[in-house]
């Protein structure tokens, strides 16, 4: 068998290795590799640590191993996000956008890849936020169709319901 030092990084992380049973979370290393490939394809800016995808990739094997180790052992804690203020389209101020680190985006993708197939089937069909294959435009289309079908409206003030002040 080859040693870790003699294999290209892609080959190492594509191996399907048995998971150490002593770890509380059974996360195959391949899942972390696939998650990284997805994050890389999406591009994105550096997080609070200033590390770009290219810089993360420069020490990919070590970065992915450390992340996998923390995720599978349950010791992973996400770092803070970098706040960037994005101007609103109407020119009326800005909205804050949180940019996670590359490692945190990989960790989020690992979690998404595990949770989405489990949770997606139990979501209500009218839930449109952050759902695969659904968008805000789909929600508006459904609302318009129902406006023609029903002659009543339910208006809720969610902010007042939770006691938040505007």
């Amino acid at each position: 068998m080859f040693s870790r030092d003699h294999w290209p990084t892609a080959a190492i992380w594509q191996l399907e290795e048995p998971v150490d049973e002593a770890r509380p979370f059974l996360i195959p290393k391949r899942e972390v590799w696939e998650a990284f490939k997805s994050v890389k394809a999406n591009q994105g800016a550096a997080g609070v640590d200033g590390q770009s995808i290219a810089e993360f990739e420069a020490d990919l094997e070590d970065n992915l191993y450390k992340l996998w180790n923390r995720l599978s052992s349950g010791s992973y804690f996400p770092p803070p996000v970098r706040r960037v203020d994005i101007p609103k389209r109407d020119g009326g101020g800005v909205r804050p956008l949180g940019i996670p680190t590359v490692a945190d985006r990989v960790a989020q993708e690992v979690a998404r890849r595990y949770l989405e197939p489990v949770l997606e089937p139990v979501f209500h069909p009218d839930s449109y936020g952050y759902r695969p294959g659904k968008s805000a435009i789909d929600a508006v289309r459904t609302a318009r169709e129902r406006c023609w079908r029903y002659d009543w409206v339910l208006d809720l003030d969610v902010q007042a319901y939770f006691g938040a002040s505007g």
Side-chain angles (χ1 to χ4, degrees), residues 33-90:
W33 166 250
E34 295 297 330
F36 169 74
K37 290 193 315 187
S38 178
V39 167
K40 183 180 177 185
N42 287 340
Q43 298 296 309
V48 71
D49 62 358
Q51 185 179 46
S52 68
I53 292 174
E55 291 167 335
F56 185 89
E57 197 171 19
D59 193 14
L60 185 61
E61 185 177 338
D62 190 48
N63 286 330
L64 291 181
Y65 179 80
K66 283 192 280 188
L67 182 59
W68 168 79
N69 192 32
R70 289 180 184 135
L71 289 170
S72 61
S73 69
S75 65
Y76 178 77
F77 289 94
V81 296
R82 181 169 63 98
R83 181 182 169 145
V84 175
D85 290 327
I86 306 296
K88 291 185 177 179
R89 289 185 186 168
D90 63 3

Side-chain angles (χ1 to χ4, degrees), residues 98-118:
I99 301 176
T101 64
V102 175
D104 193 40
R105 292 201 310 262
V106 174
Q108 289 177 29
E109 179 65 11
V110 169
R112 186 201 63 79
R113 292 166 63 92
Y114 175 78
L115 293 172
E116 192 171 86
V118 174

